[in-house]
Amino acid sequence: MHGLKVSNQLEEKLTQALELARESLQNRHRIGTQSERLMHSTLKYFYENNDEFHEAKVGRYFADIFKDNHIYEVQTRHLGSLRKKLDFFLKDYEVTIIHPIHHNKWLTWVDPETGETSKRRKSPKTGNEYSAFRELYRIKSQLKHPNLRLKLVLIDVDEFRILNGWSKDRKKGSHRMESIPISIVDIVEINSPADYIKLIPTGLPKEYTTKDYRKAAKITQSAACTALNILHHMDITKRVGKVGNAYLYKTLDI
């Protein structure tokens, strides 16, 4: 891990934020919170527990948090939907995108007809900071902006899903009801283009292919291609040759 050391203080802060988020969502009276999810609301309270700074009007947009001339946007997925907002905000403000990544996940399935729930089971999939590249690609053209910051929050979650998918067991294509944060595992902070060096996994050879990166980062080949596309764009890696049809990369000295 390349982020902040997780402490008991952070765990207590997350618990308090979760309680505040639940209370806020029960009321649902603030602008912009009508369709808000628990994960999104919890992270807002985690980074700013005073909701007077939440859902602040900045120009023609609402910012999740606006305090001390700094904007924070919590985006659980679909970072591409932030592009227009970012174009507007980044001209005049520092903007931090808070992007949660599910690390360990425990699944509970809910039958939509009976309301019965399955036994809680741990998913075999594990997310890490390298899982963020697919979303980061959606805002690739804005990643080099000097006013942009990122916080990649690795978080353990309880996830509840509806058994309404298209497969025989109704799981594939199913809809997520809610994700409840349990514990923060790590926070990777990207405050400048040079900080993308944190997204170079350990164990890589001096020169490497996407296949090498895939193995070191424990992600799919497609995700590794996207990762190196972005790292090359951010001037963290350079292409130094080819092995067959595959590019050979080297990490630059930062």
Side-chain angles (χ1 to χ4, degrees):
M1 297 291 182
H2 302 280
L4 301 177
K5 185 177 180 180
V6 177
S7 64
N8 290 334
Q9 186 177 2
L10 281 182
E11 293 302 306
E12 291 173 7
K13 187 177 177 181
L14 178 65
T15 300
Q16 293 170 1
L18 180 58
E19 292 174 358
L20 289 169
R22 281 177 166 148
E23 182 181 344
S24 173
L25 292 178
Q26 284 176 354
N27 296 330
R28 291 181 182 271
H29 64 281
R30 294 180 64 86
I31 294 173
T33 64
Q34 285 75 18
S35 61
E36 191 171 23
R37 295 283 186 140
L38 186 59
M39 176 69 75
H40 183 275
S41 185
T42 298
L43 286 173
K44 278 202 309 186
Y45 280 103
F46 183 83
Y47 281 100
E48 178 49 61
N49 60 13
N50 185 346
D51 61 12
E52 289 184 4
F53 298 104
H54 294 184
E55 305 305 329
K57 188 75 179 295
V58 181
R60 62 179 181 269
Y61 294 103
F62 283 92
D64 283 336
I65 302 169
F66 182 51
K67 185 178 182 181
D68 298 331
N69 232 33
H70 195 120
I71 290 170
Y72 298 83
E73 284 291 320
V74 179
Q75 197 73 11
T76 56
R77 53 182 178 168
H78 304 313
L79 291 191
S81 63
L82 286 178
R83 282 196 295 263
K84 290 183 179 179
K85 255 188 176 185
L86 289 175
D87 282 339
F88 183 82
F89 287 158
L90 287 170
K91 290 184 292 185
D92 299 307
Y93 305 100
E94 287 189 358
V95 178
T96 295
I97 297 174
I98 300 162
H99 178 54
I101 298 167
H102 293 182
H103 181 62
N104 291 312
K105 180 165 61 178
W106 284 264
L107 286 169
T108 300
W109 294 94
V110 181
D111 190 309
E113 296 174 3
T114 65
E116 292 181 0
T117 59
S118 69
K119 185 178 179 180
R120 178 178 180 261
R121 296 184 183 277
K122 187 177 180 181
S123 169
K125 297 180 181 179
T126 302
N128 58 30
E129 57 266 44
Y130 314 109
S131 307
F133 281 112
R134 180 182 176 185
E135 289 296 335
L136 294 179
Y137 186 80
R138 301 175 192 271
I139 56 169
K140 178 181 172 181
S141 63
Q142 295 161 312
L143 293 179
K144 284 187 175 182
H145 198 289
N147 283 341
L148 185 64
R149 313 281 186 267
L150 297 171
K151 291 183 186 292
L152 307 179
V153 184
L154 273 69
I155 194 162
D156 287 347
V157 300
D158 266 325
E159 183 168 294
F160 292 82
R161 299 191 74 92
I162 303 174
L163 278 171
N164 63 351
W166 48 262
S167 63
K168 187 176 180 180
D169 62 3
R170 297 188 291 171
K171 291 183 177 180
K172 293 182 179 178
S174 63
H175 290 81
R176 180 171 57 196
M177 290 177 62
E178 192 61 272
S179 292
I180 302 174
I182 301 172
S183 177
I184 289 179
V185 178
D186 198 20
I187 302 173
V188 180
E189 297 190 344
I190 307 289
N191 295 317
S192 69
D195 280 346
Y196 279 82
I197 193 73
K198 296 177 182 179
L199 299 181
I200 295 290
T202 58
L204 283 173
K206 186 175 181 181
E207 296 180 352
Y208 49 90
T209 63
T210 54
K211 185 177 179 180
D212 296 319
Y213 187 96
R214 172 184 66 80
K215 290 180 179 178
K218 298 179 181 178
I219 54 178
T220 66
Q221 184 69 14
S222 175
C225 288
T226 302
L228 286 170
N229 178 295
I230 291 177
L231 292 169
H232 184 259
H233 172 72
M234 300 305 293
D235 300 317
I236 298 299
T237 66
K238 70 174 181 178
R239 292 169 181 158
V240 294
K242 278 191 169 185
V243 177
N245 292 325
Y247 281 113
L248 199 57
Y249 291 87
K250 181 179 180 180
T251 303
L252 296 172
D253 294 328
I254 304 298

